[in-house]
Amino acid sequence: MTTRLRYFVVAALLTAGGLVVSGQTPARSPAASAAALHVLPIRGNVFLLVGAGANVTVSVGPDGVLLVDAGDAAMADQVIATVAQLSRAVTASPGPVRPCPGVGAGVGCAGVTYPALLGTIASPAPPKPIQFIVNTNADPDHAGGNAKVAQAGTTFGGGPGLGAFAFVKESAMVYAHENVLARLTAAKVPTAGLPTESYPTDMKQYFNGEGVQILHRPSAHSDGDSIVHFRGSDVISTGDILSTVSYPVFDVAQGGSINGIIDSLNALLDLVIAEYQTEGGTLLIPGHGRVCDAADLATYRDGMTIIRDRVQDMIKRGLTLAQVKAARPTKDYDPRYDVPTWTKDQFVEAVYRSLSQKK
Ligand SMILES: [Zn+2]
């Protein structure tokens, strides 16, 4: 099935199930719409859930579901319900497989008197379970939903021998860089919300027919960021390294840095392949904001590099933080990226502190 056709089949199934598919205007009550998650088919196995806090990337297919980030704790029930519906819709596409009942039933259900009835009497396939969650960082809008969403899922072939005990329910596995585990542990997050597998560098997983690379980026938004590359679908979840709705958010106290952000944006540029004159090709799902391509990424990288160089130059000339802020090094980008949750002054201060740090 072509990607376009698959989009319409899945979108129709989701809409029929009451989900909001981006680009359509469903008839829902205002209250229901306010709380609804939006589902956007990206490409191949990969979908985007919008409205759960940070962007949640979903790989859905025959192996089940892999999520990149779990969203806010408060949105966990909606994430679970939406993912189940999505999984059911994708599994049912292009059409449900309904085995013929009875002895001797074969291709085309020869011998069944009323084959048309099969669609009525066969049960719909259950949704495939959530098997894996990857946390791109430790923030509550990325990892807050871990506990509930993981418990709604299951892992096949997980812990050694645990399956032998009927009372042990194995939930989905949660992958994160070891610094994310350390940060969530220090924040006294209950065990059920902690990563079950942490890695010091990178991870790989073959899932839903494609290689999934989980790559650690040191010192970007924090010291525990991961980006997730779906190599077959050619989609990359960038976590908070890329945003279309704010300046890059980073915390020097948590190991983040402006140079690490720019290094990571450059590393992403090495991974993306444009389709035509920097447009199209590899798609990127930022931590917050809309889906991007190579051109969006390059434009963001260029802007942040220009601002970094301006602040670096002012530091070299001996300007204080107050003087740097007054000089407005972000002025030409403020209309787009200065937002109440991460203001131009907060960003400039973070850049200043990051560049002034003793190496
Ligand atoms: Zn975020």
Side-chain angles (χ1 to χ4, degrees):
M1 193 161 26
T2 66
T3 304
R4 191 104 192 114
L5 180 58
R6 179 185 161 90
Y7 172 89
F8 285 117
V9 170
V10 172
L13 287 162
L14 292 173
T15 310
L19 290 185
V20 182
V21 177
S22 192
Q24 304 199 1
T25 314
R28 295 172 68 94
S29 71
S33 296
L37 293 176
H38 291 251
V39 178
L40 181 66
I42 302 299
R43 186 162 54 211
N45 299 316
V46 180
F47 295 76
L48 168 59
L49 286 195
V50 181
N55 283 334
V56 175
T57 306
V58 191
S59 164
V60 191
D63 292 337
V65 176
L66 179 152
L67 299 180
V68 181
D69 287 323
D72 265 318
M75 295 300 291
D77 288 333
Q78 273 139 298
V79 168
I80 293 163
T82 306
V83 166
Q85 214 160 346
L86 178 61
S87 170
R88 209 177 272 128
V90 170
T91 310
S93 167
V97 177
R98 302 194 187 286
C100 300
V103 178
V107 177
C109 295
V112 174
T113 317
Y114 299 105
L117 276 180
L118 288 174
T120 313
I121 58 177
S123 310
K128 300 273 186 177
I130 298 169
Q131 282 215 61
F132 301 101
I133 300 169
V134 183
N135 289 149
T136 60
N137 66 51
D139 292 356
D141 55 339
H142 294 253
N146 277 0
K148 253 194 176 179
V149 177
Q151 276 164 4
T154 189
T155 303
F156 300 122
L162 285 179
F165 300 97
F167 56 87
V168 176
K169 183 182 179 317
E170 288 190 53
S171 55
M173 291 174 102
V174 181
Y175 290 156
H177 184 264
E178 58 190 19
N179 290 340
V180 170
L181 173 60
R183 192 145 295 126
L184 292 174
T185 308
K188 303 217 177 331
V189 167
T191 308
L194 295 177
T196 55
E197 296 287 321
S198 63
Y199 43 87
T201 52
D202 300 336
M203 282 276 288
K204 293 174 189 172
Q205 180 84 41
Y206 204 82
F207 197 71
N208 285 336
E210 65 179 322
V212 181
Q213 275 185 305
I214 306 169
L215 306 169
H216 174 232
R217 293 303 311 169
S219 184
H221 166 75
S222 67
D223 55 11
D225 300 277
S226 293
I227 62 177
V228 183
H229 188 186
F230 297 90
R231 302 205 314 187
S233 304
D234 204 9
V235 177
I236 304 174
S237 299
T238 71
D240 281 349
I241 290 160
L242 176 66
S243 169
T244 63
V245 294
S246 76
Y247 289 115
V249 179
F250 63 94
D251 186 348
V252 174
Q254 295 197 348
S257 71
I258 186 62
N259 281 329
I261 291 273
I262 292 170
D263 287 349
S264 298
L265 292 169
N266 281 318
L268 285 167
L269 272 169
D270 287 340
L271 289 177
V272 301
I273 300 174
E275 186 176 351
Y276 179 71
Q277 292 191 350
T278 78
E279 303 280 352
T282 309
L283 294 172
L284 302 122
I285 299 178
H288 304 267
R290 64 167 172 80
V291 177
C292 295
D293 65 6
D296 298 310
L297 172 64
T299 305
Y300 196 72
R301 187 278 312 262
D302 290 350
M304 299 315 123
T305 307
I306 288 166
I307 293 169
R308 188 266 319 265
D309 290 351
R310 286 173 181 166
V311 175
Q312 183 74 75
D313 178 60
M314 291 174 187
I315 291 172
K316 270 193 193 140
R317 288 191 281 123
L319 271 64
T320 64
L321 174 59
Q323 288 169 324
V324 171
K325 278 184 188 169
R328 301 283 306 276
T330 60
K331 190 176 176 186
D332 36 355
Y333 296 93
D334 288 343
R336 178 149 181 201
Y337 296 124
D338 178 29
V339 290
T341 48
W342 184 239
T343 65
K344 57 182 187 292
D345 279 350
Q346 285 175 299
F347 175 58
V348 168
E349 185 166 341
V351 173
Y352 185 91
R353 294 203 188 290
S354 173
L355 295 175
S356 307
Q357 266 185 326
K358 297 272 175 289
K359 297 280 177 335

